[in-house]
Amino acid sequence: MLGFLASFFLVAAAVANAESAQRVIIDTDPGVDDAMAILLALNSPELKVEALTVVPGNVEGKQGLENALKIVSLAGRCDVIVAGGAQHPLNQKLITAQYWHGANGLAGVDLPAPKCKADARFGPDLIIEMVHKYPHELTLIPVGPLTNIALAVSKDPSIVPLVKHIVIMGGSITGGNVNGAAEANIYNDPEAAAIVFNAGWMVTMVGSDVGERTLFTRKDLTDLQEQHGPETDFIAKLADFYVTRSEKSGYTGAAMYDPLAVATEIDPTLVTLKDMHVDVETKGEFTRGETVGNRMGYDEKNVLRGDHYEIDGLMPLRPNARVCTNADADRFVRLFISRIKGK
Ligand SMILES: [Ca+2]
């Protein structure tokens, strides 16, 4: 009887958790840190992953879809919808990143053929459909270029006020990771990013400048390697590749870009956010793809006086972004490792 009661309460607690869990769609270009972010989300009771939509970025769309299916298969989660999406950025050629992610995007780790099947729907259409199905309940977490999200809001702008949160991994307000100015996800589709930042919602921006200070080190890898299982072994192999690659490039650990964006939705107290207005540079000789964050909250306004302009006052700007300016890296890494270990 006691055993029965205990299992009843366990089931009741699981149901309560599932009901209070935040519904999310992860739009992803898997990707080593994408795989880490996806498994973090799937192992976190605070989140209910409704779907993964795949965007080209780190790898081409076809490879990304295969990777996403292999990841959900590894996790035994064929209940999660996985759909392909755009096949190229809106207005430029795709730039893939095998240099950072390995030939297959997953550090060369050869996962078994996927058991889960791709959904036939087009990613941006699936996003539109699910936002209408769960109005004010769904959080979008794009961790790749913003092509799919831009296509969705362009086709159906009515989804904007119906989305609960949008948390992106992308951008930076203090220099890029592709070049001096731009972060890779924004650089890969600046026109899409401009559409997303100007859509009328508040974009939570978890940028590369914070990701680069949220490092997974070799010591963390040793910690993760203490436990064995399909998911821990997979993540440990990815992390080993990623830490080695990062060390060769002068970092002391691997930047946890995408997992930090997911963690922001799991536990918002992990990050510091500051409201500001962010514009995406789509031209610029050196700055195409830069997210230009206005930290003052205003622009100076000039008026013509004779042959020159004079500053006449200040024009307040409406914030369109909650920009992550800091993260509790230690607490985040501990959360990440414990969730991957299934604790
Ligand atoms: Ca990514």
Side-chain angles (χ1 to χ4, degrees):
M1 185 62 184
L2 272 178
F4 169 77
L5 273 178
S7 47
F8 172 79
F9 284 119
L10 275 178
V11 169
V15 169
N17 249 341
E19 277 174 5
S20 62
Q22 174 59 52
R23 297 181 199 279
V24 301
I25 291 181
I26 302 177
D27 187 71
T28 171
D29 58 336
V32 165
D33 59 324
D34 299 75
M36 293 171 156
I38 291 166
L39 287 178
L40 170 62
L42 291 177
N43 284 297
S44 292
E46 297 86 350
L47 305 183
K48 180 172 190 310
V49 182
E50 297 286 347
L52 304 180
T53 50
V54 176
V55 70
N58 291 325
V59 290
E60 290 174 76
K62 189 165 171 280
Q63 177 79 61
L65 182 59
E66 187 184 318
N67 291 351
L69 289 168
K70 284 180 171 175
I71 294 163
V72 290
S73 298
L74 178 77
R77 292 295 305 275
C78 291
D79 59 303
V80 175
I81 297 168
V82 179
Q87 295 302 310
H88 53 79
L90 298 185
N91 200 28
Q92 68 178 30
K93 280 199 178 5
L94 176 67
I95 306 157
T96 58
Q98 282 82 359
Y99 178 84
W100 295 104
H101 297 268
N104 66 352
L106 297 178
V109 178
D110 199 14
L111 287 178
K115 290 192 206 81
C116 311
K117 299 271 180 290
D119 191 282
R121 284 168 286 187
F122 181 54
D125 290 338
L126 178 71
I127 291 169
I128 293 169
E129 194 181 317
M130 297 203 83
V131 172
H132 285 292
K133 186 175 175 190
Y134 301 116
H136 310 290
E137 286 184 26
L138 193 66
T139 289
L140 304 177
I141 311 182
V143 293
L146 289 162
T147 320
N148 281 342
I149 310 299
L151 288 171
V153 297
S154 301
K155 186 170 179 182
D156 183 359
S158 78
I159 65 170
V160 168
L162 301 178
V163 166
K164 186 173 180 189
H165 295 140
I166 170 165
V167 183
I168 75 159
M169 188 282 129
S172 163
I173 56 166
T174 54
N177 62 357
V178 167
N179 53 34
E183 178 280 329
N185 284 340
I186 309 296
Y187 188 72
N188 224 325
D189 198 341
E191 282 74 19
I195 289 170
V196 171
F197 275 88
N198 292 319
W201 47 24
M202 285 292 278
V203 174
T204 302
M205 179 178 125
V206 181
S208 61
D209 45 354
V210 179
E212 278 157 13
R213 288 183 269 127
T214 309
L215 299 179
F216 188 92
T217 63
R218 203 155 281 285
K219 187 171 151 287
D220 301 321
L221 179 60
T222 309
D223 185 353
L224 189 64
Q225 284 167 331
E226 279 171 7
Q227 186 177 312
H228 292 284
E231 291 182 44
T232 25
D233 290 346
F234 171 59
I235 293 296
K237 283 181 202 162
L238 295 189
D240 194 3
F241 174 93
Y242 194 26
V243 169
T244 304
R245 173 78 270 175
S246 303
E247 284 170 346
K248 281 181 186 161
S249 309
Y251 293 92
T252 52
M256 297 294 274
Y257 297 125
D258 296 358
L260 183 61
V262 165
T264 298
E265 196 60 18
I266 294 172
D267 180 359
T269 69
L270 286 167
V271 295
T272 310
L273 302 175
K274 181 172 164 48
D275 286 5
M276 55 182 97
H277 185 87
V278 173
D279 284 309
V280 179
E281 178 60 83
T282 55
K283 300 180 177 70
E285 187 179 354
F286 305 109
T287 54
R288 180 169 153 79
E290 180 175 5
T291 47
V292 182
N294 188 312
R295 278 160 275 188
M296 306 175 298
Y298 59 82
D299 281 345
E300 287 182 351
K301 189 176 82 177
N302 301 332
V303 292
L304 197 57
R305 298 254 194 270
D307 67 346
H308 71 282
Y309 286 94
E310 187 179 321
I311 299 167
D312 185 53
L314 306 175
M315 261 189 324
L317 294 170
R318 210 172 60 164
N320 61 347
R322 298 188 181 101
V323 177
C324 178
T325 55
N326 206 7
D328 188 336
D330 288 345
R331 198 154 63 85
F332 160 77
V333 171
R334 285 200 306 277
L335 173 81
F336 175 77
I337 292 174
S338 71
R339 293 293 165 86
I340 296 299
K341 284 181 171 177
K343 288 176 182 161

